[in-house]
Amino acid sequence: MKIGTIDLGERPVLLAPMEDVTDIGFRLLCKRYGAAMVYTEFVSAEALVRNVNSTVKKLTISDEERPVGIQIYGRDVASMVEAARIVEEARPDVIDLNFGCPVKKVAGKGAGAGMLQNIPLLLEITREVVKAVQVPVTVKTRLGWNHEQLIITSLAEQLQDCGIQALTIHGRTRSQMYTGEADWTLIGETKRRLSSLGGAGGGSIPIIGNGDIHSLAEADKAFDTYGVDGVMIGRATFGCPWIFSRRELSLDEKIDVLKEQLRINVERIDEYRGILHTRRHLAASPVFKGIPDFRQTRIAMLRATKVDELIAIIDQAHERLQEL
């Protein structure tokens, strides 16, 4: 699969962009264990244009994590175009347009999945961003606003005509948020439709499927069943950067990876905020799910404010797992 000239290989599995999750430390680990491509946390176009420091920091990427995409969201043409130009200066491999975030503070204001209620504006933003930058532009979106407006097949054709280089489809509507099951049937139908039509250059853009993928085995099944070009994994990566690995890691190795993630984040930022970036992954990691009454340990992880304290909690949990 290629995005522009970027070759991601056959049947690539990608790390989804996620707020407060896909910081650089986590991205580097996911890349190490086999993610074909990683994405930053999504970036507010308006905040970027206003030069908000916390937002600008999200543009920091490393050559070690390439290919890497930076995702932006917004609700008007001018700010999205200006933000895309600012992002291009950070030298990402891809600029991704977020038309899929369902949370109220984004979609409720007309951005993210909120754009699915204003397709003319969505398409205008896409066309103008494509024209404004040289880096490949891609889009991530959903099946539609709700089940009465499942527009993804026709929307995909329109987006392809706007000049995007790939399309990621989350198999839910905005109204579903993250509930229910992802509908991969429509993702596969969209892929077949685009393949039958071809694009302006004779071929069709890659379609990347997203939603309810919890393992590489499930990703393989999605490739085989729905014919997608790529698969993107989101929430199942929490505390599990090795999900992209074809090799099964031992318990000791997984614990070491989680400790390394903590160290990377603390060294990159500072102790307090580095811990904040890591606690969510630790509390959600599948490594610890076999521990009886893990709730108390999880609470302790979420309350820890010192590296030594958090390492001790991890080591204690590790010992309990070895006893099982």
Side-chain angles (χ1 to χ4, degrees):
M1 173 186 136
K2 285 187 175 182
I3 299 178
T5 60
I6 304 164
D7 192 345
L8 300 180
E10 294 295 319
R11 295 163 63 120
V13 182
L14 298 75
L15 172 66
M18 292 175 285
E19 179 70 1
D20 295 327
V21 175
T22 53
D23 56 62
I24 192 169
F26 186 61
R27 298 195 307 266
L28 286 167
L29 289 173
C30 289
K31 170 61 69 172
R32 177 194 299 174
Y33 287 103
M37 187 168 180
V38 297
Y39 290 80
T40 64
E41 302 171 74
F42 60 62
V43 176
S44 164
E46 291 184 8
L48 199 55
V49 169
R50 295 199 313 270
N51 200 35
V52 175
N53 187 51
S54 59
T55 300
V56 173
K57 285 182 177 179
K58 292 181 180 180
L59 302 186
T60 302
I61 56 178
S62 163
D63 284 340
E64 296 174 53
E65 59 181 312
R66 294 187 185 278
V68 57
I70 295 178
Q71 187 186 71
I72 59 175
Y73 73 94
R75 58 184 178 180
D76 69 81
V77 177
S79 63
M80 286 290 278
V81 167
E82 186 174 352
R85 287 174 173 150
I86 294 169
V87 166
E88 187 172 34
E89 294 177 4
R91 298 179 54 248
D93 297 284
V94 163
I95 295 176
D96 192 64
L97 307 184
N98 180 327
F99 298 140
C101 179
V103 300
K104 187 175 181 180
K105 70 177 183 179
V106 175
K109 295 179 179 177
M115 279 289 165
L116 292 168
Q117 292 188 300
N118 191 343
I119 298 304
L121 178 57
L122 182 156
L123 295 173
E124 184 182 2
I125 287 173
T126 304
R127 280 192 297 267
E128 293 305 313
V129 169
V130 168
K131 287 193 294 186
V133 297
Q134 298 299 311
V135 67
V137 176
T138 60
V139 164
K140 188 171 190 286
T141 190
R142 291 186 167 227
L143 303 178
W145 181 257
N146 56 37
H147 279 89
E148 287 69 51
Q149 301 174 42
L150 297 174
I151 61 171
I152 188 58
T153 301
S154 60
L155 178 59
E157 294 176 35
Q158 294 171 296
L159 286 167
Q160 178 169 260
D161 291 341
C162 288
I164 67 169
Q165 305 273 338
L167 173 63
T168 300
I169 304 170
H170 183 109
R172 289 182 173 86
T173 64
R174 189 274 170 174
S175 62
Q176 281 182 276
M177 300 294 284
Y178 295 102
T179 63
E181 294 184 0
D183 181 358
W184 278 76
T185 303
L186 264 178
I187 300 175
E189 184 179 316
T190 302
K191 171 59 187 175
R192 289 190 296 274
R193 176 67 174 165
L194 285 191
S195 295
S196 68
L197 293 174
S204 61
I205 59 172
I207 296 295
I208 302 163
N210 173 228
D212 293 348
I213 300 296
H214 303 96
S215 66
L216 289 186
E218 291 182 3
D220 289 340
K221 184 178 179 181
F223 280 116
D224 294 337
T225 306
Y226 303 104
V228 292
D229 301 286
V231 169
M232 184 175 281
I233 305 181
R235 289 171 293 163
T237 65
F238 290 7
C240 192
W242 53 81
I243 196 172
F244 298 97
S245 176
R246 292 284 174 184
R247 177 181 71 85
E248 178 61 31
L249 274 67
S250 68
L251 173 62
D252 288 353
E253 288 175 312
K254 291 176 181 178
I255 295 295
D256 285 344
V257 170
L258 294 177
K259 288 181 180 178
E260 182 178 0
Q261 184 178 352
L262 173 61
R263 286 194 295 270
I264 290 172
N265 285 334
V266 168
E267 289 171 4
R268 183 179 62 86
I269 318 173
D270 57 44
E271 184 172 46
Y272 176 71
R273 288 180 298 163
I275 287 172
L276 287 182
H277 273 263
T278 312
R279 290 190 309 195
R280 180 174 184 173
H281 288 278
L282 292 174
S285 180
V287 168
F288 302 114
K289 287 186 177 178
I291 298 177
D293 192 27
F294 178 63
R295 183 172 178 274
Q296 295 305 315
T297 302
R298 184 176 186 273
I299 291 172
M301 286 178 173
L302 291 172
R303 288 177 174 171
T305 58
K306 298 292 182 182
V307 169
D308 290 346
E309 178 187 3
L310 194 47
I311 291 291
I313 295 169
I314 295 171
D315 287 341
Q316 184 180 41
H318 187 189
E319 290 174 9
R320 292 184 66 189
L321 283 168
Q322 290 175 315
E323 294 169 358
L324 295 177

